[in-house]
Amino acid sequence: MELNQDEMLTQLENRLAELERIVKTQEHPRRTASSKVEPVQSDLLLAASKFSSDLKKIETDNSTIAKFLKTWVEVEPIIRGLESGESLLQTPAKLAILLACEDQLTTISNHLSSIQELEKFINSSTLQETAPLIAKSKPIEAVHQEQKEIVSQVCDSVHQSLSSYHSVMNIVSQKFVYWDHTLSTTSDVQK
């Protein structure tokens, strides 16, 4: 179960409070020249109090976190009860809900009965035979794909041939126009 940021903050605050309580209730060892327990302990207390104040500041600065924590405090007992397997509703409440929804339950039951009557169409022998037919159609599909590729190649070839023919005809037409122009010019000059 992953914890979101708010839950982690709450858990950290709880741990921090527990550590502070443990540290405060312990006896302070006597300070000796070789002992550095008190400075370490006081450093830990300072760090813990700073961390606690930082968490409080984050909570007060972020209204969403504060709102979540307030909501969590209200619903935590219910959620903990659900985790332990307790039911939220007692038997009389469940019975009242069922009686109030009796018409809807009857309607749903009738719809389910009509759906069950359609099962003969859903599980018909024709539909059950489709799996082997699909397997049989695979070779035909493969041949179709091959033919599709061949037709595509033939179409490309025809297109290239037509383009080449068109180019040749344009060149021949240009040559014809050129020779016609040359002959007419020569004929005019000879007259």
Side-chain angles (χ1 to χ4, degrees):
M1 179 177 164
E2 289 186 27
L3 299 177
N4 62 25
Q5 187 178 11
D6 298 331
E7 292 171 336
M8 289 190 309
L9 285 173
T10 303
Q11 286 184 354
L12 286 174
E13 285 180 3
N14 292 340
R15 285 174 153 175
L16 188 60
E18 182 66 21
L19 284 173
E20 285 177 352
R21 186 188 62 74
I22 291 170
V23 169
K24 287 179 182 178
T25 58
Q26 289 180 348
E27 290 183 21
H28 294 287
R30 294 184 186 161
R31 188 170 187 174
T32 63
S34 63
S35 173
K36 294 188 179 180
V37 174
E38 274 189 25
V40 171
Q41 195 174 28
S42 65
D43 289 344
L44 283 174
L45 286 174
L46 286 172
S49 65
K50 183 181 181 314
F51 185 68
S52 177
S53 64
D54 288 347
L55 287 176
K56 292 289 184 195
K57 184 176 185 291
I58 289 172
E59 181 182 345
T60 55
D61 289 349
N62 192 335
S63 62
T64 306
I65 291 174
K67 184 178 176 184
F68 173 79
L69 291 174
K70 181 182 176 191
T71 305
W72 175 253
V73 168
E74 294 171 4
V75 297
E76 182 180 17
I78 296 170
I79 292 173
R80 299 286 183 220
L82 290 175
E83 287 177 350
S84 66
E86 296 176 15
S87 177
L88 292 177
L89 298 174
Q90 301 300 325
T91 304
K94 292 177 185 176
L95 184 60
I97 291 171
L98 288 174
L99 290 175
C101 297
E102 182 180 4
D103 293 336
Q104 292 174 346
L105 291 172
T106 304
T107 304
I108 290 171
S109 174
N110 291 337
H111 288 307
L112 290 174
S113 296
S114 62
I115 289 173
Q116 188 175 10
E117 292 172 6
L118 297 174
E119 186 177 9
K120 61 185 174 188
F121 298 108
I122 295 170
N123 293 328
S124 68
S125 61
T126 307
L127 289 178
Q128 291 174 353
E129 293 172 0
T130 55
L133 293 175
I134 290 173
K136 289 179 182 178
S137 69
K138 292 292 182 187
I140 296 171
E141 185 179 346
V143 168
H144 171 71
Q145 288 299 327
E146 289 174 13
Q147 290 175 346
K148 189 175 170 183
E149 290 173 11
I150 291 170
V151 166
S152 175
Q153 291 171 357
V154 168
C155 285
D156 289 343
S157 175
V158 168
H159 180 69
Q160 287 176 349
S161 297
L162 285 174
S163 293
S164 297
Y165 174 78
H166 182 68
S167 297
V168 167
M169 292 312 290
N170 278 338
I171 291 171
V172 168
S173 294
Q174 288 173 357
K175 294 288 182 184
F176 180 75
V177 167
Y178 174 75
W179 283 108
D180 183 55
H181 178 68
T182 304
L183 287 174
S184 56
T185 307
T186 308
S187 159
D188 287 342
V189 170
Q190 286 179 357
K191 285 187 183 182

